[in-house]
Amino acid sequence: MSAGWLVAIVLGIGVLAYFFSAQRARAQRDQVDRAKEVPHSLPLYHGWFAFLLSTLPAIIVLVVLSAVSSGLIEGRIRAEAGTHIPDPAAASLQVGIIHNAAEALARLGLTGTGVPSTYAALRDAASAAGISLADSGEDYMLPLAAGVNEEAALHRLLIQGLALLLSVAGAVFAYSRIRIRLRARNEVERIVLWSLIGASTVAILTTVGIVLSMLGETIHFFSEVNPLNFFFGTVWDPRFAAAGSGGSEGQFGLIPLLAGTLYIALVSMLFAVPVGLMAAVYMGEYASPRIRSTVKPLLELLAGIPTIVYGIFAVVTLGPFFRDLSAALAGGFAFIQAQSVFTAGIVMGVMLIPVVSSLSDDVITAVPRAMRDGSLALGATRSETIRKVILPAALPGIVGALLLTASRAIGETMIVVLAAGVAARLSINPFEAMTTITVKIVNQLTGDLEFNSPQTLVAFALGLTLFVITLGMNVYALYIVRKYREQYE
């Protein structure tokens, strides 16, 4: 039985538990009405109480134990592969081959004595069935792959049986607890509360896990590369040593990437902030409800366009347009390159307009109505009220919105790689190509380099640096927004 079918069965048990528990509570309520007693909760809450008890524990056990099972199987494969190949990097490759071989055995239905004796035989059988396997597999992988399938099947059977048992037990327990004075509503709210706390905990633990995973590889990188050369270096050449450097691993200067990241973000903000802020002022202060209900969804539609589409628009349309326009203005000399900071900033600014306008509009409309009415009552015009009352009052919230928008711009990748290029250079000319941290993270994690080499590990150092920058901006923005909200409470 697949996990999808098991979840469907558990949900079906929950629906049945909901129906029968609600019916029982309804019947008891009818009896109580005749005795002139008031039940504590409606039958609806009794049904939800039974549904939650019969589904949540089973699904949680299914997810947790499945993850534990995968970890145990992965540990066994790595331990076995490590006895044949001591090199961790090569062992990781062998683990992937073993997983593929186990999947091929499962799809071919080969178990026990039906498992081929050689890897070449399995590869031929898989190729005949349209399944591709690596050519570098070895014969010792076949028994291990078959054992992996057997162990996974046993774990799956035990986990599914336990999940079904918990689901049925939860339904029976909830049904047996249906009473006239059962505080089913309080129980449901308590379960929902703990579910929300669990979801928040998962989000926090996920963030911590991301940071720790990057931190470990970053420490490994700094054990091979001097942190001072990374944070204060002005040359980015991770593949080959720069001339006269005397090194063999190249140079990993962060300054050109950080400069390109901040430069492109600055250009995009210079374009997005005035347009987005004026759009927010119009929608919040001038537009009628009918126009607002039409314009705002259309404006926010820009936020739903994939960034790769913006990048294609930049590299196909906007970049060549700026290049040809500059050539026409300068008598044949194109001083604006097709891939440049200016092009990437303009396209990214278009993408950020709905973010700026939406956040700023929410802040402007949150300004108390009494401040508007008081300014108008004193004889100020609408434009004077906006400039001297509303915008100053909303300024902290607008600054927080702009900081959140800037962090969004700093983390953009696809627009930059297509519109600004991949050249890591220091330049103040916005019409030349530059690149950002995110682009180099993608470049360093793709290719044929070994995973434990400095050329690959530098991606984690870049990612952690970018994480710290955006986290600091987000925290500061949230602090400003919270302070703004407290001002009018």
Side-chain angles (χ1 to χ4, degrees):
M1 182 191 304
S2 64
W5 280 107
L6 179 64
V7 172
I9 293 174
V10 169
L11 292 177
I13 295 174
V15 171
L16 292 177
Y18 175 93
F19 175 77
F20 286 110
S21 298
Q23 285 293 104
R24 184 177 184 181
R26 192 173 291 108
Q28 292 181 356
R29 185 189 63 176
D30 294 339
Q31 296 176 359
V32 170
D33 287 342
R34 287 193 293 269
K36 295 184 179 180
E37 296 182 15
V38 179
H40 179 273
S41 303
L42 295 174
L44 171 71
Y45 290 103
H46 290 270
W48 278 113
F49 174 68
F51 177 83
L52 293 174
L53 282 187
S54 59
T55 56
L56 281 182
I59 294 177
I60 292 174
V61 166
L62 176 64
V63 173
V64 173
L65 292 186
S66 297
V68 172
S69 173
S70 299
L72 292 176
I73 294 175
E74 183 75 13
R76 176 191 169 189
I77 296 176
R78 288 188 175 276
E80 184 68 22
T83 59
H84 294 272
I85 301 178
D87 185 11
S92 299
L93 179 60
Q94 299 300 316
V95 168
I97 297 176
I98 293 172
H99 276 298
N100 293 335
E103 183 180 356
L105 290 174
R107 293 176 61 180
L108 294 174
L110 300 177
T111 58
T113 58
V115 177
S117 58
T118 63
Y119 183 84
L122 174 62
R123 188 176 64 247
D124 294 338
S127 178
I131 304 172
S132 61
L133 290 177
D135 297 333
S136 57
E138 301 181 16
D139 294 342
Y140 81 89
M141 298 179 179
L142 295 183
L144 183 57
V148 166
N149 286 340
E150 294 175 359
E151 185 176 353
L154 178 61
H155 289 183
R156 187 163 53 249
L157 180 62
L158 294 176
I159 293 171
Q160 292 178 353
L162 180 60
L164 286 175
L165 180 62
L166 283 176
S167 180
V168 174
V172 173
F173 175 75
Y175 184 79
S176 65
R177 286 198 61 191
I178 302 301
R179 296 291 185 271
I180 295 174
R181 296 300 298 169
L182 174 65
R183 298 177 179 270
R185 183 184 63 191
N186 296 351
E187 296 292 338
V188 169
E189 291 178 351
R190 187 177 295 109
I191 294 174
V192 172
L193 174 62
W194 282 104
S195 300
L196 296 176
I197 293 175
S200 303
T201 304
V202 169
I204 295 173
L205 293 178
T206 301
T207 305
V208 173
I210 292 173
V211 174
L212 292 179
S213 63
M214 291 192 300
L215 183 62
E217 302 297 339
T218 302
I219 294 174
H220 187 189
F221 169 73
F222 285 136
S223 65
E224 301 184 19
V225 177
N226 191 341
L228 295 178
N229 296 335
F230 174 76
F231 287 109
F232 299 102
T234 58
V235 177
W236 176 262
D237 187 9
R239 294 175 295 177
F240 307 101
S245 65
S248 60
E249 76 281 354
Q251 291 184 305
F252 302 89
L254 174 66
I255 298 299
L257 306 183
L258 184 60
T261 301
L262 298 179
Y263 203 175
I264 294 175
L266 175 63
V267 174
S268 65
M269 293 294 291
L270 290 176
F271 179 80
V273 169
V275 178
L277 190 57
M278 287 188 289
V281 170
Y282 170 74
M283 289 188 296
E285 299 299 325
Y286 289 99
S288 64
R290 180 178 179 181
I291 295 179
R292 176 185 172 87
S293 62
T294 303
V295 173
K296 189 170 183 178
L298 292 177
L299 185 61
E300 293 180 348
L301 185 64
L302 292 174
I305 299 177
T307 56
I308 185 65
V309 176
Y310 284 108
I312 294 174
F313 170 72
V315 73
V316 173
T317 304
L318 197 61
F321 171 76
F322 285 144
R323 181 195 59 201
D324 298 340
L325 179 62
S326 64
L329 295 176
F333 173 71
F335 59 88
I336 301 180
Q337 299 180 12
Q339 289 185 324
S340 63
V341 173
F342 180 74
T343 303
I346 295 297
V347 176
M348 193 183 301
V350 174
M351 181 194 69
L352 296 177
I353 286 175
V355 181
V356 176
S357 64
S358 179
L359 294 176
S360 300
D361 178 61
D362 294 338
V363 173
I364 290 173
T365 54
V367 175
R369 186 68 190 179
M371 298 183 67
R372 296 178 174 83
D373 295 340
S375 176
L376 296 174
L378 291 174
T381 63
R382 178 174 293 185
S383 62
E384 291 174 338
T385 300
I386 294 173
R387 288 185 288 107
K388 297 182 180 181
V389 177
I390 296 177
L391 289 182
L395 185 60
I398 293 175
V399 172
L402 298 184
L403 289 175
L404 292 174
T405 306
S407 64
R408 172 71 177 86
I410 289 175
E412 178 54 40
T413 303
M414 293 310 302
I415 292 178
V416 177
V417 74
L418 293 177
V422 295
R425 61 163 64 101
L426 278 173
S427 175
I428 61 174
N429 186 357
F431 303 133
E432 293 182 354
M434 295 181 70
T435 193
T436 62
I437 294 176
T438 55
V439 173
K440 289 306 176 182
I441 291 175
V442 175
N443 289 344
Q444 299 309 120
L445 289 179
T446 55
D448 298 330
L449 294 174
E450 295 182 358
F451 186 79
N452 58 351
S453 65
Q455 290 82 357
T456 302
L457 294 176
V458 68
F460 296 94
L462 294 173
L464 189 61
T465 303
L466 189 65
F467 178 84
V468 172
I469 294 173
T470 55
L471 178 63
M473 295 182 65
N474 288 338
V475 170
Y476 186 62
L478 292 176
Y479 166 75
I480 293 178
V481 171
R482 187 179 296 110
K483 183 179 179 180
Y484 161 74
R485 289 176 178 174
E486 293 176 352
Q487 186 175 356
Y488 297 108
E489 289 180 351

